[in-house]
Amino acid sequence: MSHPNKRQKVQAHRLSQSSVSALSKVRQQQQQHDGFQETSRSSTGQGKKIKFSSESPEPTTATPPAKSTQKPNELARTNGSPVDVVTNGGLSEIEAIELRKKNEKARKKQEKKDRKRRKEEEKTKLAEKESDDGGYSSWNGFSSGPDPDRDRNLPPTKKLQKKFVEESVILEKSQKESKRKRISPTDPDTPSPVATPSSIDKSSKKKKRKRHDTSDIFAEPESSKASKAGDVDDTNNILPESLMASPVASKSSKPTQKIQSVWDRLKSQPKPQSKETESPGSSRNSILSGTPGPASDLSSITIHSADKVSPDPPLEQQKHDKPKVYKNIQLKKKSKETQQEVGNDSTAGLVDPLTPVPQRPQDKSKSQVAKDLQTVRETLPIWNFQKEIQSTIRDSDTMVLVGETGSGKSTQIGQFLLDQPWMQRRAGPTGKKYGGCIAITQPRRVAAISLAQRVSNEMGTQMGKEVGYCVRFDNVSDETTKIRYVTDGMLLNEILHDGELSRYSAVVVDEAHERSVSTDLGMGLLKGIVEARRKKKVPLKLIVMSATLDIQKMSAFIGGNPTSDDIKEELPPAPVCQIPGKIYPVDVFYTPSTLDNFQTAAVKTIFQIHYQYPCPGDILVFSTGSEEIEDLASTVEELAQQMDSDKPKMHVMKLYASLDPAEQQRVFIKGDPRVRKVIIATNIAETSITVPGVRHVIDCGKVKMKRFRHQLGIESLLVTDISQASAQQRKGRAGREAPGTCYRLYPEDCFKKFAKATEPEMLHCDLAGALLTLKARGVDDVFNFPYLDKPDRQSFERALLTLHMLDALDDSGKITEIGKKMSKFPLPPVQSRVIVAAGEEEKINTDSEEDVLVDVIDVLSCLSVDGNIILQPTRWSKATEDTRKQVDPLLPNKKKKRKASEEDSDEDMTLEERQALERAETILSRISGIVPADA
Ligand SMILES: Nc1ncnc2c1ncn2[C@@H]1O[C@H](COP(=O)(O)OP(=O)(O)OP(=O)(O)O)[C@@H](O)[C@H]1O
């Protein structure tokens, strides 16, 4: 089988998203047809594709054939025969060339004139339209354009591309304008000579400003106006200058020397560097340093901000800012190779998803890595509160810990408590041993794994030893593990098996604001365990953490230590420790009005950022579900391939729950700083995680939530607005390694209308599973269990009836043997009942050839996966293996073992079985687009 080139691979990948290959073929054909239409339009000069960049004076069509027909000289030269050029009726070679040059020049001039005229027409139309509708339609929905008839017959993606390209040009023009203004900042009301030559009259200036305003998605919120005026000492809601009509910088008098020198440096830099527009940092600079002045490039701001926020910029940050300082030759080589691979398709601005991830420097010992990371740890806001946290939890069994996102809660808390005297494993009254380990719960497995990896790096230990994790189907920890990151579902499971959690000295419930059923049940159960362990004089410490928490409610709920022996006495609230300060500022932007289609807006924003900010600076986009993510990713990939070759390339990555875990971990590996990673994720990336390199967040403001539909008796996923707490968490994914930006694809008013906190899952889900868990844990009176928010009585009754119907409860409401078996499966009760029933069937019909249980497991496995049940085996295996090796150091050993056992089992196969297996593999490969159907 021949290896497909990168473009084919990307296409094959896209095909794999749809299992309907026929449909894909039709689509492909249509695309080819569209491509042809585009080319012919270009050659006739109609609907010519505008280049993404406004830097290059030379307009080119996107399709190579058009290019080649327009440059015969070059064609001839590439054919290797300059004499071939002499074909002009007896003219000498030189004369012919001269003549052609002249013609070419005249043609270009004419083209330039035409283009200018067309642009002017477009601008006028756009300005007129904007004055009609407030500018909204100029970017949203791509409904308005210079010549609507021209695009009528184009398919939607092409229309979108064309519209986007046109708008990008307008955007870049306006950015350039604001950049020019900033180089020579003057009074905002006095137009700079560069920006406003005398030939331009006042009305056209106004039009220009208007266009600038409306060509961007993000409006200037009230609060940012205040901050510009110096009233607000917060970087929230500050509009990036380059997105504004009148830059912030123009309010200031003169640039500081430092920034001016950066500008000078920037101007003298080669094209790709100097054309990058300013970051929104001038206001940030002004606020942080008290020095008003224009923005410079992102790197200068980073350095500047770091100066102010922390005296020593974190080491990782320094590396990130100056990729050239890498001393590791191996790494250099690697990245060269990577670039060669990436660059072999010069027209595509897209990094192939199969591109190997650059390896981390291998020559650094674990202790060296830990030593480097120590510098980062010491700059975290939580670092100075170490003693306070230690003494609070020494004196009290419970504590609420609140601190900004990125302040260091999840990574540092375990390390702060590790050496405390109460952490020692010790014997209880009966001689049973208690303690020695800390459990830190996370709502999602991806966070648990990445945090364990980070903390083991910080401690310089091997993953799975002193620091480990335990998530469903994957336990990387042993008896020696001291800090164990677990999902809250796994902790619940542990409580089922060991009602005292005797292994642990402390349990930290992280991201408690998420209020999943498991978190709420876990907290209710932990409350009881803390009391029980206190009585046995082997206390279990409980810490509840979040950045966005209702502190009073939580501290009253978990309660502090009793003040007397009177057991009836109500517990005082738990002590609260609040960590002030954030690590880096994040600027927030809102849209001026509500959008119909956040997917389109997300695409636009991604490219606006890409064109506006220099690399490094990855983008994290929050979308709603896997389908939306796949759609968005393929649109971005398609558009990225049409970018100019001098623009930084893009690497589009996806992150959602049903993705292969190794694929999920891939986003955490630092990539080539010259390539921009665009990670499109669901809310699984919302809390706890730090995706290295992310500087920009795009938040669609929506989430898919499970809702129980009483009439139908089923749960379904519905798209709803997020809460303010969620929005803050999403914003908090930027500003962790450097200052960042957050683009909210909704207006500020909408944000204010969002619920303050996320509604507890318990209040809108089917309670049957939760009640079965409680019953199995021995809680018979489920109605009076301590819930943080109690569901209504009807929900209880409905759930209890369901459990009774499934034989999980007897007539008195006690759990039955069937119920106990059911509670062990991490499935909804209805599904676990089917498994138990199938198991019974197996026992009864031992002679039957039908393997009911296996069939049932197959069906339920498919039902458990959100959406995509088709594997992507071989195509990803190389990439997946690279990632796995970095995440799981024991992988080579595991693989050896697996290979040995596979070889054993291969020997037992009959010829037919082997052929069937091969056939199945081929079909699977075909479905997932690895092998063309006609191969
Ligand atoms: N994988 C990583 N790569 C790079 N830096 C990281 C990584 N994990 C953590 N950090 C650094 O450590 C800081 C603290 O991260 P941590 O997860 O402990 O914060 P947090 O307070 O728990 O945030 P949140 O409330 O968002 O979960 C981050 O701001 C970042 O600077």
Side-chain angles (χ1 to χ4, degrees):
M1 189 177 67
S2 66
H3 287 289
N5 69 24
K6 295 200 171 295
R7 217 184 188 123
Q8 282 170 335
K9 279 184 195 168
V10 173
Q11 214 156 8
H13 167 60
R14 250 179 252 133
L15 286 177
S16 74
Q17 309 310 323
S18 160
S19 56
V20 192
S21 56
L23 188 67
S24 309
K25 268 190 180 170
V26 171
R27 203 172 149 227
Q28 255 183 330
Q29 280 164 2
Q30 196 183 342
Q31 275 172 358
Q32 278 163 10
H33 176 67
D34 296 335
F36 173 71
Q37 273 189 341
E38 196 82 296
T39 315
S40 43
R41 262 196 312 279
S42 304
S43 58
T44 56
Q46 281 176 358
K48 194 172 267 184
K49 212 170 247 293
I50 303 164
K51 242 178 135 183
F52 268 84
S53 166
S54 60
E55 282 294 311
S56 165
E58 181 78 18
T60 54
T61 52
T63 43
K67 232 184 196 176
S68 59
T69 53
Q70 284 177 8
K71 294 192 175 179
N73 287 4
E74 264 177 39
L75 247 191
R77 245 175 265 129
T78 48
N79 286 343
S81 161
V83 186
D84 290 349
V85 177
V86 191
T87 53
N88 290 309
L91 286 177
S92 77
E93 186 186 325
I94 310 250
E95 281 170 330
I97 291 172
E98 295 274 5
L99 192 67
R100 276 211 189 82
K101 268 187 186 167
K102 263 186 192 169
N103 288 343
E104 184 76 354
K105 226 175 178 179
R107 192 183 55 76
K108 275 183 186 169
K109 213 170 172 183
Q110 186 56 39
E111 266 185 16
K112 213 172 174 183
K113 265 187 188 170
D114 289 349
R115 226 176 22 254
K116 210 171 167 187
R117 186 178 44 77
R118 270 204 304 277
K119 266 187 195 163
E120 282 305 321
E121 279 171 18
E122 285 170 12
K123 281 173 196 168
T124 323
K125 277 189 188 172
L126 202 63
E128 278 166 12
K129 180 114 181 102
E130 283 162 8
S131 57
D132 286 341
D133 65 4
Y136 174 68
S137 63
S138 69
W139 69 273
N140 180 38
F142 304 99
S143 54
S144 72
D147 180 3
D149 286 344
R150 197 184 63 191
D151 296 345
R152 191 163 288 159
N153 296 325
L154 288 179
T157 40
K158 291 283 165 194
K159 273 186 197 171
L160 193 133
Q161 283 167 12
K162 285 168 81 64
K163 185 71 194 164
F164 172 75
V165 170
E166 285 160 10
E167 285 176 356
S168 296
V169 171
I170 297 174
L171 173 79
E172 280 208 5
K173 275 197 91 174
S174 53
Q175 283 167 0
K176 274 186 167 182
E177 200 176 294
S178 77
K179 193 166 155 187
R180 273 203 303 270
K181 279 186 184 177
R182 221 161 304 141
I183 291 171
S184 51
T186 52
D187 186 277
D189 300 326
T190 318
S192 86
V194 185
T196 56
S198 54
S199 58
I200 303 173
D201 65 24
K202 273 192 177 173
S203 66
S204 74
K205 261 182 265 160
K206 268 187 190 167
K207 268 186 190 170
K208 251 190 183 173
R209 278 199 179 169
K210 179 110 192 164
R211 258 197 315 277
H212 190 166
D213 277 343
T214 50
S215 66
D216 292 311
I217 299 177
F218 296 95
E220 183 178 12
E222 285 306 308
S223 42
S224 83
K225 286 175 203 156
S227 75
K228 268 189 283 167
D231 301 340
V232 178
D233 190 15
D234 190 348
T235 49
N236 269 6
N237 303 327
I238 296 169
L239 191 77
E241 281 169 39
S242 40
L243 291 176
M244 286 160 48
S246 53
V248 178
S250 57
K251 294 228 173 211
S252 62
S253 53
K254 272 188 175 180
T256 60
Q257 251 185 345
K258 190 174 176 181
I259 291 167
Q260 185 61 57
S261 72
V262 173
W263 260 119
D264 293 339
R265 208 179 61 229
L266 254 182
K267 278 190 282 178
S268 62
Q269 270 170 2
K271 208 177 165 193
Q273 291 291 334
S274 59
K275 80 174 139 196
E276 299 295 350
T277 54
E278 307 75 0
S279 87
S282 81
S283 4
R284 189 164 56 226
N285 275 354
S286 313
I287 285 161
L288 287 172
S289 61
T291 322
S296 54
D297 68 324
L298 189 68
S299 58
S300 74
I301 284 160
T302 307
I303 295 161
H304 198 69
S305 310
D307 278 355
K308 294 292 160 190
V309 174
S310 54
D312 300 316
L315 203 83
E316 285 202 348
Q317 178 55 39
Q318 293 171 17
K319 277 188 205 160
H320 213 63
D321 286 340
K322 300 176 197 163
K324 280 177 224 142
V325 300
Y326 282 129
K327 285 198 179 113
N328 188 318
I329 294 166
Q330 223 182 341
L331 182 78
K332 259 188 183 168
K333 261 192 178 169
K334 273 258 178 235
S335 53
K336 256 192 180 172
E337 278 164 19
T338 308
Q339 218 202 2
Q340 271 166 11
E341 244 187 84
V342 168
N344 60 12
D345 179 358
S346 62
T347 55
L350 188 67
V351 171
D352 192 288
L354 295 181
T355 303
V357 175
Q359 299 289 310
R360 275 204 320 250
Q362 293 297 323
D363 56 350
K364 270 195 181 178
S365 67
K366 286 195 186 307
S367 58
Q368 187 56 45
V369 172
K371 217 169 147 192
D372 291 349
L373 290 178
Q374 180 66 19
T375 330
V376 183
R377 293 183 63 201
E378 287 170 16
T379 60
L380 295 175
I382 203 171
W383 186 258
N384 295 331
F385 291 82
Q386 193 174 161
K387 293 267 171 309
E388 194 181 322
I389 292 169
Q390 285 168 346
S391 74
T392 309
I393 199 67
R394 189 174 52 237
D395 301 339
S396 167
D397 292 342
T398 53
M399 180 173 92
V400 175
L401 180 61
V402 183
E404 276 281 346
T405 50
S407 58
K409 301 178 297 297
S410 316
T411 50
Q412 305 309 309
I413 188 77
Q415 299 181 70
F416 288 173
L417 304 182
L418 201 57
D419 299 326
Q420 293 299 293
W422 50 263
M423 268 293 297
Q424 295 298 322
R425 193 163 171 79
R426 57 184 136 152
T430 57
K432 184 181 169 184
K433 290 271 173 94
Y434 291 86
C437 183
I438 303 170
I440 304 178
T441 71
Q442 292 299 322
R444 298 179 190 90
R445 54 184 289 148
V446 63
I449 299 172
S450 71
L451 281 167
Q453 183 68 61
R454 171 72 179 187
V455 175
S456 70
N457 285 345
E458 286 185 2
M459 289 175 63
T461 57
Q462 191 188 330
M463 172 76 136
K465 292 293 166 194
E466 198 152 5
V467 184
Y469 66 85
C470 180
V471 297
R472 204 203 298 184
F473 307 132
D474 203 2
N475 178 9
V476 183
S477 66
D478 61 21
E479 328 68 62
T480 62
T481 301
K482 293 271 186 298
I483 302 176
R484 202 163 179 251
Y485 285 88
V486 297
T487 49
D488 38 20
M490 283 315 291
L491 190 80
L492 262 189
N493 210 28
E494 277 194 62
I495 296 176
L496 275 182
H497 291 100
D498 175 8
E500 292 183 305
L501 287 178
S502 49
R503 176 179 187 169
Y504 300 108
S505 295
V507 174
V508 181
V509 180
D510 199 2
E511 310 301 351
H513 70 277
E514 285 245 336
R515 307 292 309 278
S516 66
V517 172
S518 304
T519 316
D520 275 16
L521 285 189
M523 259 179 328
L525 291 169
L526 280 167
K527 220 169 117 82
I529 300 171
V530 168
E531 250 178 75
R533 292 268 297 259
R534 188 185 291 137
K535 278 181 200 151
K536 289 191 174 173
K537 307 264 187 270
V538 274
L540 175 76
K541 307 281 184 185
L542 172 63
I543 300 170
V544 179
M545 302 196 303
S546 173
T548 45
L549 198 64
D550 185 340
I551 301 173
Q552 261 91 35
K553 188 173 176 178
M554 190 54 80
S555 93
F557 177 76
I558 62 172
N561 282 14
T563 45
S564 71
D565 288 341
D566 182 2
I567 50 165
K568 285 200 179 139
E569 190 197 35
E570 214 173 277
L571 294 176
V576 177
C577 189
Q578 267 178 291
I579 314 294
K582 45 189 155 191
I583 178 155
Y584 292 106
V586 178
D587 293 344
V588 182
F589 311 103
Y590 296 91
T591 57
S593 48
T594 317
L595 312 178
D596 296 332
N597 185 345
F598 64 79
Q599 293 277 94
T600 313
V603 174
K604 267 207 76 175
T605 315
I606 290 168
F607 283 93
Q608 275 187 1
I609 293 170
H610 189 61
Y611 272 63
Q612 204 175 330
Y613 294 91
C615 277
D618 298 336
I619 305 170
L620 176 63
V621 187
F622 284 99
S623 189
T624 46
S626 55
E627 258 175 56
E628 290 81 358
I629 289 174
E630 292 293 348
D631 275 358
L632 194 53
S634 60
T635 310
V636 174
E637 278 170 354
E638 229 164 275
L639 287 169
Q641 287 182 68
Q642 315 216 356
M643 289 191 305
D644 294 338
S645 52
D646 60 350
K647 290 280 172 204
K649 288 182 192 287
M650 271 190 184
H651 187 177
V652 182
M653 300 175 112
K654 299 162 227 168
L655 184 58
Y656 49 84
S658 55
L659 214 58
D660 181 282
E663 268 313 302
Q664 292 179 346
Q665 289 304 313
R666 222 169 125 73
V667 304
F668 295 100
I669 298 169
K670 268 190 182 167
D672 187 337
R674 293 157 301 181
V675 171
R676 188 169 328 260
K677 264 199 296 185
V678 177
I679 303 134
I680 311 174
T682 57
N683 61 337
I684 73 163
E686 187 176 295
T687 51
S688 279
I689 65 167
T690 302
V691 183
V694 167
R695 304 275 188 279
H696 314 282
V697 166
I698 300 173
D699 170 15
C700 73
K702 303 276 176 199
V703 67
K704 265 190 189 162
M705 275 227 176
K706 253 192 216 163
R707 298 263 161 191
F708 186 59
R709 301 163 86 176
H710 300 295
Q711 294 87 346
L712 301 173
I714 53 161
E715 277 179 337
S716 35
L717 285 169
L718 297 180
V719 176
T720 53
D721 285 341
I722 57 170
S723 65
Q724 288 187 7
S726 278
Q728 295 301 79
Q729 289 286 345
R730 289 180 179 192
K731 177 188 119 187
R733 297 315 107 196
R736 297 171 86 84
E737 297 176 302
T741 54
C742 173
Y743 297 84
R744 292 180 170 159
L745 303 180
Y746 44 89
E748 198 175 4
D749 283 350
C750 272
F751 172 78
K752 286 178 187 157
K753 283 181 203 152
F754 287 166
K756 285 257 173 311
T758 309
E759 192 188 357
E761 198 184 351
M762 274 236 157
L763 301 187
H764 55 76
C765 76
D766 179 14
L767 285 183
L771 298 194
L772 185 63
T773 306
L774 288 181
K775 292 272 182 186
R777 168 71 183 79
V779 180
D780 277 334
D781 186 2
V782 286
F783 194 70
N784 288 316
F785 179 77
Y787 300 98
L788 204 47
D789 285 285
K790 197 169 180 173
D792 60 35
R793 197 171 187 97
Q794 265 186 335
S795 305
F796 276 102
E797 286 170 359
R798 228 182 348 252
L800 289 171
L801 271 176
T802 308
L803 291 176
H804 183 257
M805 223 165 58
L806 297 172
D807 298 328
L809 301 181
D810 62 18
D811 291 348
S812 63
K814 290 237 169 353
I815 190 162
T816 60
E817 280 310 309
I818 291 177
K820 280 181 190 161
K821 279 183 197 163
M822 283 166 60
S823 71
K824 299 212 167 101
F825 296 105
L827 291 169
V830 175
Q831 293 183 11
S832 51
R833 180 69 181 95
V834 179
I835 291 200
V836 174
E840 281 165 1
E841 181 75 12
E842 287 266 299
K843 267 191 220 155
I844 297 163
N845 293 324
T846 42
D847 297 337
S848 164
E849 284 193 0
E850 302 284 318
D851 203 344
V852 183
L853 187 58
V854 172
D855 289 347
V856 161
I857 291 172
D858 283 349
V859 172
L860 293 181
S861 307
C862 293
L863 286 176
S864 305
V865 180
D866 300 343
N868 194 4
I869 56 163
I870 296 170
L871 300 174
Q872 303 197 338
T874 46
R875 208 165 58 83
W876 289 107
S877 58
K878 175 75 182 80
T880 309
E881 202 179 303
D882 286 346
T883 318
R884 281 210 174 114
K885 265 186 207 157
Q886 298 198 22
V887 175
D888 183 1
L890 303 176
L891 184 74
N893 294 347
K894 282 184 194 169
K895 270 191 72 181
K896 259 186 219 159
K897 273 189 201 165
R898 204 183 315 142
K899 203 173 170 202
S901 69
E902 272 171 14
E903 274 165 8
D904 289 349
S905 61
D906 263 14
E907 277 168 17
D908 299 338
M909 269 187 175
T910 63
L911 185 65
E912 285 115 284
E913 278 171 342
R914 207 166 294 180
Q915 280 171 347
L917 188 71
E918 278 170 11
R919 240 190 349 263
E921 273 173 0
T922 317
I923 291 168
L924 201 57
S925 311
R926 237 164 232 169
I927 292 171
S928 49
I930 307 153
V931 183
D934 53 353

